[in-house]
Amino acid sequence: MDIISSYGLILIVMAGIFGFFMAWGVGANDVANAMGTSVGSKALTIKQAILIAMVFEFAGAYLAGGEVTSTIRKGIIDSAYFVDQPELLVFGMISALLAAGVWLLIASFLGWPVSTTHSIVGAIVGFAAVGVSVDAVSWGKVGGIVGSWVITPAISGFIAYLIFMSAQKLIFDQENPLKRAKQYVPFYMGLAGFVLSLVTIKKGLKHVGLGMGTLEGFAWAIGIAVVVFIIGKVAIGRLKFNESADKDMHYTNVEKVFAVLMVVTACAMAFAHGSNDVANAIGPLAAVVSVVSSGGEISSQAQLAWWILPLGAFGIVAGLAMLGKRVIATIGKGITHLTPSRGFAAELAAASTVVLASGTGLPISTTQTLVGAVLGVGMARGIAALTLGVVRNIVVSWVVTLPAGAIMSIMFFYMLKGIFAA
């Protein structure tokens, strides 16, 4: 206990700095998920994407990032093991933040889209298993995360494949693609409105006390979908295109319609992502602040200090602005060639998978979901449409993420223990 009372302020300052660093890594790496497809399909320039993401990620993180956060993310470790030695939990969480931050910096610099959730989970598992006790880790939960490496990209890839193929059959392969687009695109817009409002209700608004029951959430989402459908129908009906132009010109005009959709989906995904994944950085930070402020008492939920959410939100924005474009380039251009219609299929599939996962409690990585969706769109055009070298590097980086976070956090944990407990 005396370590916490003697060094409390120093420990909180360290946790704050490393929490900001981790949030910076979330911004540099994960925000590309929301924006990569929009940039790759040329619906947005890189500067526009970064500006939009800054606004919506910050809004999601700050407005809907949670007044109260689980101190130990995803129930990965059992806090009972730390009751007698709360300083070990403090050292561990600080080490986990630094380890995950370092790994995200390396991955972002190399342009690898890795999972920020898995980075922090790996780091927490590492210090708890080696530094405290192997039994302190819920290995079943870790197994579920490893299983999600295959399951979530497969689900989102399949949904993206279906959406893309439906657009091909209903619009692009028809005699008059523009006429068909006017007919069917409002339905895609309505579907996007439905899925994205569900994502926002499930992932974003529950943190602000506006979380709704399942039935109420669905009713709202259906209402929003109908409104979006009507607005889409009117807006597309008003677009003036030259009907007598050749088919290539028709394709270009249809893609313009999808480009508008892409911008809307990107904004909603950025908001949902900011509200959800800011917890990866502020959860461990809140745990440190909570344990230190209460003099060593460990609770499962921590009321956030006023400065924690803005720190996480600013960290995300700073990381995105400084290093975001490398991962955006990998997702947008590296895996397969994207057009607005393909990018829209990938983004809508990723959002749909997030809704499915949050409904079923499947541990999910937004990164792996989106990469899976982009792969699905590429596969629809045949294996030759994929850049297999890039895909291989991405898969390797996913597998390395958990152990990399774990090894670094073990090293940092013993360093901190040596410095403060000596």
Side-chain angles (χ1 to χ4, degrees), residues 37 156-167 188 258 261-262 265 338-353 369-370 373-374 376-378 380:
T37 45
S156 64
F158 179 65
I159 297 173
Y161 179 87
L162 292 180
I163 294 170
F164 176 70
M165 291 309 283
S166 72
Y188 287 113
F258 275 105
L261 267 182
M262 285 284 305
T265 51
L338 289 175
T339 60
S341 57
R342 292 171 196 161
F344 170 71
E347 207 137 277
L348 185 56
S352 306
T353 311
T369 309
L370 191 82
V374 173
V377 169

Side-chain angles (χ1 to χ4, degrees), residues 299-317:
S299 61
S300 62
Q301 299 258 297
Q303 195 70 30
L304 290 184
W306 65 268
W307 53 271
I308 292 181
L309 260 182
L311 180 98
F314 277 117
I316 285 179
V317 167

Side-chain angles (χ1 to χ4, degrees), residues 35-46 48 255-256 258-260 262-263 332-333 337-341 343:
M35 292 295 152
T37 45
S38 307
V39 173
S41 63
K42 300 195 167 52
L44 290 170
T45 65
I46 192 107
Q48 289 168 334
E255 291 291 2
K256 279 180 187 163
F258 275 105
V260 176
M262 285 284 305
V263 177
K333 301 189 181 91
H337 175 64
L338 289 175
T339 60
S341 57

Side-chain angles (χ1 to χ4, degrees), residues 34-35 52-53 55-65 196 199-201 203-205 208 265-277:
M35 292 295 152
I52 288 174
V55 172
F56 283 91
E57 287 278 343
F58 187 87
Y62 188 62
L63 300 174
L196 292 166
V199 169
T200 312
I201 289 163
K203 288 281 190 189
L205 301 182
V208 212
T265 51
C267 294
M269 281 297 276
F271 181 86
H273 175 266
S275 65
N276 198 50
D277 278 18

Side-chain angles (χ1 to χ4, degrees), residues 27 74-75 84 98 100 107 111 124 141 153 174 184 187 189 215 231 271 308 311 347 377 406 408 412 417:
K74 314 277 182 203
D84 297 332
L98 179 56
I124 290 173
K141 292 264 173 73
Q174 297 298 324
Y184 289 112
F187 286 100
M189 293 175 93
L215 276 176
I231 293 170
F271 181 86
I308 292 181
L311 180 98
E347 207 137 277
V377 169
M408 283 191 280
F412 297 141
K417 210 171 154 188

Side-chain angles (χ1 to χ4, degrees), residues 14 45 81 188 405 415:
M14 283 175 74
T45 65
Y81 284 84
Y188 287 113
M415 280 181 201

Side-chain angles (χ1 to χ4, degrees), residues 15 18-19 21-22 92-102 120 123 280-281 284-285:
F18 297 153
F21 179 45
M22 166 67 187
M93 288 302 181
I94 293 173
S95 312
L97 284 170
L98 179 56
V102 169
I120 194 71
N280 289 331
L285 171 56

